[in-house]
Amino acid sequence: MTLVLPTAAPRRKANFTAYELTVFGVVVALFLLALIGPMIAPADIYTSNMLETLLPPSAEHWLGTDDQGRDIFWRLVAGSRLSLFATVLVVILYSIIGMIVATLATVGPRWVDELLMRITDIGLSLPGLVVSLGIATVLGPSLQSGIIALALTGWPMTARILRTTMRQTMEQPFVEGARILGVSRTRLMLKHVLPNSLDVLIVKWAGDISFTMLILAGLSFIGVGAQPPSPEWGAMISGARGYMSIAWWAVAAPGAAIVINAVAFALLADILQVRRDPSLQA
Amino acid sequence: MGVDTILTDGIVPAQVRRRPESLLQVDQLSIDIATRDANVRLVDNVSFGIGRGERVALVGESGSGKSVTAQALMRLNSRVKLSGRVQFDGTDLLSLSPRQMTAMRGQRMGMVFQDPMSSLDPLMTIGDQVAETLRIRGVSKREARQRALDVLDELKVERAAERLDSFPHEFSGGMRQRVVLAMALVGEPHLLIADEPTTALDVRVQERVLDLLDEISRRRSLAVLLITHDLGIVAGFADRVMVMYSGRIVEENEATLLFAEPQHPYTRGLLEAVPRADITVDRLRSISGAPPAPAARPSGCTFHPRCDHAMAVCTSVEPGETITPLGARVRCHLYGEG
Amino acid sequence: MLQIDHISKSFPAGRGQHTMVLDDIVLNVDEGQSVGLVGESGSGKSTIIRCALGLTRPDSGRVSYSGIDVHRSSRFDTLRFRRDVQLVFQDPYASLNPRMTVEELVSEGLLVHKLETTAAGRRARVVEMLAMVGLGEEALTRYPRSFSGGQRQRIAIARAVVIRPKLLICDEPVSALDVSVQAQVINLLQDMQKQLGLGILFVAHDLAVVRHLCTTVAVLERGRIVEHGTREQVFDTPQHAYTQALLKAVPIPDPAVGRARRAERQLAP
Ligand SMILES: Nc1ncnc2c1ncn2[C@@H]1O[C@H](COP(=O)(O)OP(=O)(O)OP(=O)(O)O)[C@@H](O)[C@H]1O
Ligand SMILES: Nc1ncnc2c1ncn2[C@@H]1O[C@H](COP(=O)(O)OP(=O)(O)OP(=O)(O)O)[C@@H](O)[C@H]1O
Ligand code: SF4
Ligand SMILES: [Mg+2]
Ligand SMILES: [Mg+2]
């Protein structure tokens, strides 16, 4: 018998390389930091201390201080919850929107599918950053506005990818089997099609976090997201750019924090991608 | 020719049976593969021989190790570790350099794979593909093309001359399989290894391909190792049959005898489990359970969890090889001398 | 019970042309009857099944089940049809949702058709059904991937039969299975048919399996039924040349038969 049976293979035991473990470790550490950061940061990072303004990095202030004399390192730690959680929230929100759109397009009659996919195409072709800038400005500059704006512009890619996958899943014999069994459309989607299609998003999520973190910081930097004195990282850069020429560290430190997070999640996305598709393995 | 076929297969006692001169001799061949977790033995201590012009069948279920064995004889799979000895026409294949082995494959051993479509290059014409083995050997373009044409004619591909320049997708499944056969036969090998050459084909096409193979092997005195899971196609084709179970050859005998007097409980079970189109039976005998995975082979006789005759000794001691009075080479404690 | 009444179907074949895949098919399955449909690859077997199940609409003709027109039925009738007619697929690896446990898979029909309203009741029926197909209670919480092909095919049969359908349609249910496991599944189908009075429409390219399982046999050649009769008629005294050719080509595990046939073919080209 010559059938090739991919699903028959015993589930591969998790057997991670040192590189993969390092990336997982860093991501977990970043999450932990976001969780406990605000609790361990000293209280004086929210108040000015005019005696210690714009100190360069030293043993006492590892990353120096800003124009209000606040310790930049501890502000980064405290702000990581805002930055990371806001990012995750954005991704969750637009993934939900994308899922709803994809599901409606898959179950609905032809015209619903056509309509939703045209809207998705329009969403994809608009410059996302510019539109979110507009939305955030209209809503009034704040972190919430930034989150809502990005959630409203981020979903089209998710919807498109998910709909393609759901279409493929619909063709699977087991879905046909469920229909023959008399399963209702809602149950068919929730129990059979969606769970077997979400795999593609897991890979996308890690990449999305990396990307969204940059955009969210960008919005704050431009001034329509979180506002100084919030320790959100984009806002910190925004607040420090006025005196960048005399205190480069006040801009470089939050910049580096954003880059570290973005790169860590991008690497995670890469690992997940390879793990899901063994043909990419070296 | 038909009469000759029938007469050569009378039952002859094992001692006086004449063996054709040996062409391939496999001794204690084991095949291991290193997976992420452990070293897995895919084929365990397999020994057999094939004589010149002899047609031998290797029968076994999915995953029993047939393809791995065939690839090992051709040294095609570089991921596995081979041990034991494989002698072909006086040459030890396992000690050849990769280059020598390539030459061996092109000229003296041919192989047909399980899936005809994946062994053909969709972008190359049929003629070029069949002639390729010869071209590599430095045969001139014109001669290679002529010989490709001859083989296709021999395989009864209609209007072969016109079709040399067509592409694989223009051929039906049966025709493609003939092209694949032509590729293996054009170098005039002494041994052809055919790994499930007809599994994907309908019965009538399958029959035609096997007839062709039968005819050519007689005419050229070509030895054939036919690999299949279908005992039915073996019955009309092979002189000798080997039954493989979970990486071991559990029974080997002349085809006539093996089908008339199967000795190993697995062989018997298989023969009884196959429904037949020529008689109606009330109920099929079935073998309980399923074949084990190579990494989870039971101890002792690997067939013991499914065997109706299993005894205490079967669970712990691996049966050695015994020759029964009927000439069967069997691995089963029922036949051990004790 | 199931009446396939003069259905035809063609598919577009590019350049505005159509290929006729089914041509005027007539086939009935009565209660408790086992009907075999044999044909080579591409002869249209799966297309007949899809039409019979209401998944593909034939160009002409009618498929009815107990008087319900399968392609023009009300919601209520459809639900009844879905409960009475079930399918077992060829490929046991693709026909079970990989993310559902055996319990969820087998009980889904009971849930959907509200045949058992309590979880405990459903579980009892599932356990009973699993015992019938030779699987233990420990299978309940496992996922399909941890089962072999033969076991999966039993799970698929359990899933289809647990709602006590009147007709079970099988599309080559054993052709992907190991030889030694194939007989287990054939026997199981035979038992189900006897014990539950199940009607079976069994589709296969393997004539031997059909001979074993079905009392009525139809032979399909390129979308047309060329021979239709009882098992004995079709297998022992085939009338149509195509049936004869097919039967002659089925491999028989008996060297004497095999060689005699080859000799015959070689003498008369
Ligand atoms: N590269 C590999 N890595 C791990 N296991 C392998 C590899 N190649 C083959 N195997 C295992 O070796 C065993 C024998 O495989 P093989 O392909 O020889 O089976 P077969 O008898 O040809 O079966 P089939 O009838 O399905 O072709 C199988 O259990 C298979 O899973
Ligand atoms: N949706 C479709 N569109 C176009 N052609 C189709 C479609 N479905 C089936 N066909 C064609 O109809 C013919 C019959 O197909 P079908 O799947 O019914 O054959 P089958 O007898 O089940 O074959 P097999 O034994 O290979 O499963 C084939 O030639 C196939 O290419
Ligand atoms: S050795 Fe024992 S278990 Fe194995 S086949 Fe023989 S009798 Fe059966
Ligand atoms: Mg193989
Ligand atoms: Mg089919």
Side-chain angles (χ1 to χ4, degrees), chain A residues 1 3 5 7-9 11 172-174 176-184 187 191-193 195-196 199, chain C residues 50 53 55 82 86-87 89 93-100 104 108-109 111-113 145 159 175-177:
Chain A
M1 311 229 159
L3 276 185
L5 308 163
T7 45
R11 209 173 170 77
Q172 296 267 332
F174 69 81
E176 191 139 274
R179 292 213 333 242
I180 291 167
L181 198 64
V183 167
S184 69
R187 187 178 164 86
K191 207 63 202 172
H192 297 270
V193 180
N196 287 291
D199 263 18
Chain C
R50 294 184 57 84
L53 284 166
L55 299 171
R82 292 276 169 250
Q86 281 304 309
L87 175 72
F89 290 85
Y93 291 87
S95 62
L96 297 175
N97 184 341
R99 279 165 215 271
M100 284 166 82
E104 286 178 289
E108 187 165 36
L111 190 73
V112 168
H113 293 287
R145 67 168 167 279
R159 173 173 159 86
S175 60
L177 300 181

Side-chain angles (χ1 to χ4, degrees), chain A residues 1-3, chain B residues 33 35 42 60-69 77 79-80 114 195-196 227 229 293-294:
Chain A
M1 311 229 159
T2 59
L3 276 185
Chain B
I33 189 158
T35 65
L42 300 181
E61 293 178 279
S62 183
S64 55
K66 308 180 297 287
S67 298
V68 176
T69 306
N77 188 342
R79 289 186 52 205
V80 297
Q114 225 157 323
D195 189 355
E196 313 238 16
I227 293 179
H229 65 270

Side-chain angles (χ1 to χ4, degrees), chain A residues 90 93 131-153 216 219-220 223-227:
Chain A
V90 167
L93 283 177
V131 176
S132 13
L133 233 155
I135 298 177
T137 313
V138 171
L139 293 174
S142 72
L143 186 56
Q144 284 93 309
S145 313
I147 292 174
I148 293 172
L150 288 183
L152 286 180
T153 52
L216 195 61
L219 285 185
S220 302
V224 296
Q227 300 295 308

Side-chain angles (χ1 to χ4, degrees), chain A residues 192-220:
Chain A
H192 297 270
V193 180
L194 256 185
N196 287 291
S197 307
L198 288 179
D199 263 18
V200 282
L201 290 191
I202 293 176
V203 173
K204 195 174 163 334
W205 275 331
D208 280 1
I209 290 179
S210 166
F211 180 72
T212 306
M213 176 161 275
L214 291 175
I215 300 290
L216 195 61
L219 285 185
S220 302

Side-chain angles (χ1 to χ4, degrees), chain B residues 62-135:
Chain B
S62 183
S64 55
K66 308 180 297 287
S67 298
V68 176
T69 306
Q71 288 161 5
L73 301 182
M74 299 286 276
R75 296 244 320 259
L76 281 176
N77 188 342
S78 55
R79 289 186 52 205
V80 297
K81 203 172 116 306
L82 305 177
S83 54
R85 248 160 58 101
V86 180
Q87 293 267 111
F88 179 77
D89 225 355
T91 320
D92 183 0
L93 291 186
L94 298 192
S95 65
L96 291 185
S97 73
R99 275 190 56 189
Q100 289 169 316
M101 193 63 220
T102 309
M104 187 64 96
R105 284 201 283 265
Q107 304 176 24
R108 316 219 350 233
M109 307 166 81
M111 179 154 179
V112 180
F113 293 97
Q114 225 157 323
D115 173 9
M117 207 48 203
S118 64
S119 27
L120 289 174
D121 182 340
L123 301 177
M124 228 169 130
T125 65
I126 299 297
D128 286 349
Q129 296 197 49
V130 176
E132 200 182 10
T133 344
L134 298 174
R135 295 285 296 142

Side-chain angles (χ1 to χ4, degrees), chain B residues 1-3 5-6 9 55 61-62 202-207 210-211 214-215 218 229-233 235-239 255-256 259-260 266 270-271 273-291 306, chain C residues 39-42 148 151 154 177-184 186-188 190-191 194 205-209 211-212 221-222 231-232 235-236 242 245-263 265-267:
Chain B
M1 179 180 279
V3 179
T5 319
I6 298 166
D9 279 275
R55 283 97 59 84
E61 293 178 279
S62 183
D202 279 320
V203 281
R204 289 184 308 159
V205 186
Q206 161 174 302
E207 183 187 68
L210 285 173
D211 276 358
D214 181 85
E215 208 182 304
R218 283 176 199 282
H229 65 270
D230 187 342
L231 281 164
I233 70 170
F237 183 84
D239 304 318
T256 323
F259 283 98
Y266 175 63
L270 268 191
L271 279 169
V274 183
R276 293 178 59 154
D278 53 345
I279 44 176
T280 306
V281 291
D282 218 23
R283 192 178 173 78
L284 290 174
R285 290 274 310 273
S286 68
I287 308 177
S288 63
R306 308 178 69 192
Chain C
E40 292 181 312
S41 156
S148 69
Q151 289 172 320
R154 290 156 196 250
L177 300 181
D178 271 330
V179 190
S180 71
V181 174
Q182 184 177 301
Q184 300 167 2
I186 295 176
N187 285 341
L188 174 64
Q190 219 172 12
D191 294 344
K194 282 196 192 116
H205 66 267
D206 185 342
L207 284 101
V209 175
R211 166 162 206 155
H212 186 75
E221 183 192 15
R222 274 186 260 130
R231 160 163 59 196
E232 285 68 28
F235 280 91
D236 297 336
Y242 180 73
L246 271 190
L247 273 171
K248 272 223 179 99
V250 187
I252 305 287
D254 181 341
V257 176
R259 282 177 209 280
R261 276 185 180 176
R262 173 156 295 128
R265 286 196 298 273
Q266 283 166 347
L267 293 175

